[in-house]
Amino acid sequence: MSRIIVITSGKGGVGKTTCTANLGMALAKLGRQVAVVDADFGLRNLDLLLGLENRIVYTAVEVLAGECRLEQALVKDKRQPRLVLLPAAQNRMKDVVSPDQMNTLVSELATKYDYILIDSPAGIEQGFQNAIAGAKEALIVSTPEIASVRDADRVVGLLEANGIKRIRLIVNRLRPAMVQANDMMSVQDVQEILAIPLIGVIPDDEKVIVSTNRGEPLVLSETTSLAGTAFDHIARRLEGQKIEFLDLNGQQDGFFSWFRKLFSKN
Ligand code: ADP
Ligand code: MG
């Protein structure tokens, strides 16, 4: 049975595409056949993060228009042959695709791939509806910031309303020193507000930005990094392996508990 997982957040710029690229690559490295789907129509950049932008010939829109077959649109990764990308159209409006059509594409991918990871756009409108249409599971990405957590909370409700019950949390861009100084929410703060199981914590790490700019997901790198290891661990947890959480020493209960209380009243 293949796993169809949407990576979503509500808020933009929190690391959805970064997570999709790294988790896709990490799962492929673990021996799985993986398709990553860019559902951010109009503002695609999963191709860039994977360094595959020059190899795109067709996109999901041409597949749906019957202008090419699905296999023709899939871009194979030369570094990791078990990974393919289904690109989104760059220049067409996001409402050219409907949730039903996305569902069809994803179901077809599910006949050949172990994992289908869908990179969601920001927001909760049509693009979001498309991204979640075929998904059976969701990974919510949130940074430890109030706006991000509040948007994530909204999205959890929408996912549940759409029948997606297996929802797990990735806390991205954690800065332990800031947490210790009570200048940033802790992982515990975020998790208690969202009340969904945690699958991983990724530190804020400039190596992520460097890898993004190079089009080389961090998990491909020979040199180990905390963020790269964190992505690898999330991939392993998706696979059902029991892996201890990295010690990023940011578990203090502090200043931001007021924000948690605000939520528990609702
Ligand atoms: P989204 O897809 O949610 O809009 P992106 O994955 O495009 O977000 O990430 C937004 C920006 O944040 C990018 O410049 C990316 O390099 C940076 N970023 C994401 N995760 C991290 C991290 N853990 N550490 C440092 N920078 C990060
Ligand atoms: Mg993105």
Side-chain angles (χ1 to χ4, degrees):
M1 260 284 276
S2 56
R3 310 259 305 265
I4 307 173
I5 308 174
V6 63
I7 289 115
T8 188
S9 69
K11 195 171 183 312
V14 298
K16 294 177 290 295
T17 305
T18 306
C19 285
T20 310
N22 278 285
L23 293 178
M25 196 61 89
L27 286 163
K29 278 179 80 179
L30 291 173
R32 296 300 182 176
Q33 300 289 338
V34 182
V36 290
V37 177
D38 193 342
D40 201 347
F41 289 85
L43 284 175
R44 75 175 186 207
N45 49 31
L46 186 55
D47 55 329
L48 275 179
L49 266 65
L50 288 166
L52 298 175
E53 70 278 10
N54 293 328
R55 312 218 352 247
I56 295 176
V57 182
Y58 298 110
T59 72
V61 174
E62 282 83 48
V63 179
L64 290 169
E67 291 165 21
C68 70
R69 285 177 292 109
L70 178 57
E71 295 85 86
Q72 290 176 290
L74 296 177
V75 183
K76 289 198 181 63
D77 193 303
K78 282 193 181 136
R79 301 155 299 188
Q80 178 44 264
R82 283 185 291 269
L83 183 78
V84 297
L85 163 72
L86 177 61
Q90 179 70 301
N91 51 357
R92 305 211 206 176
M93 296 307 288
K94 50 182 178 255
D95 49 10
V96 296
V97 178
S98 72
D100 276 352
Q101 288 178 313
M102 278 299 285
N103 199 358
T104 310
L105 279 181
V106 165
S107 307
E108 196 175 336
L109 286 170
T111 62
K112 297 212 177 73
Y113 294 88
D114 300 316
Y115 281 88
I116 295 106
L117 303 185
I118 305 162
D119 183 23
S120 158
I124 50 172
E125 336 242 293
Q126 168 91 42
F128 168 77
Q129 294 297 338
N130 285 341
I132 68 169
K136 304 279 185 289
E137 302 172 47
L139 296 177
I140 301 267
V141 182
S142 179
T143 56
E145 289 163 288
I146 288 174
S148 173
V149 176
R150 191 174 63 178
D151 289 2
D153 189 57
R154 180 90 198 279
V155 164
V156 170
L158 290 172
L159 290 170
E160 284 167 348
N162 280 275
I164 300 176
K165 296 197 181 66
R166 197 160 188 210
I167 307 171
R168 280 173 291 180
L169 171 67
I170 297 176
V171 177
N172 189 25
R173 306 200 73 162
L174 188 81
R175 295 174 66 171
M178 283 186 72
V179 176
Q180 299 227 310
N182 266 337
D183 287 331
M184 182 178 263
M185 300 171 92
S186 68
V187 173
Q188 192 197 355
D189 285 328
V190 179
Q191 203 197 343
E192 285 185 15
I193 291 164
L194 295 177
I196 51 175
L198 183 72
I199 192 165
V201 181
I202 300 150
D204 191 72
D205 186 341
E206 63 185 31
K207 291 196 189 80
V208 175
I209 299 169
V210 176
S211 80
T212 302
N213 290 335
R214 290 201 183 133
E216 268 179 40
L218 212 50
V219 293
L220 270 182
S221 168
E222 294 297 324
T223 50
T224 55
S225 61
L226 213 50
T229 306
F231 283 122
D232 175 65
H233 284 184
I234 296 173
R236 289 174 190 277
R237 290 187 194 111
L238 283 171
E239 286 278 272
Q241 295 182 25
K242 297 253 177 296
I243 308 222
E244 294 275 315
F245 282 88
L246 294 172
D247 182 16
L248 302 172
N249 65 60
Q251 300 291 338
Q252 259 186 9
D253 185 26
F255 178 69
F256 288 99
S257 55
W258 64 268
F259 187 62
R260 202 163 67 219
K261 287 194 198 98
L262 197 74
F263 270 78
S264 59
K265 281 191 208 123
N266 299 328

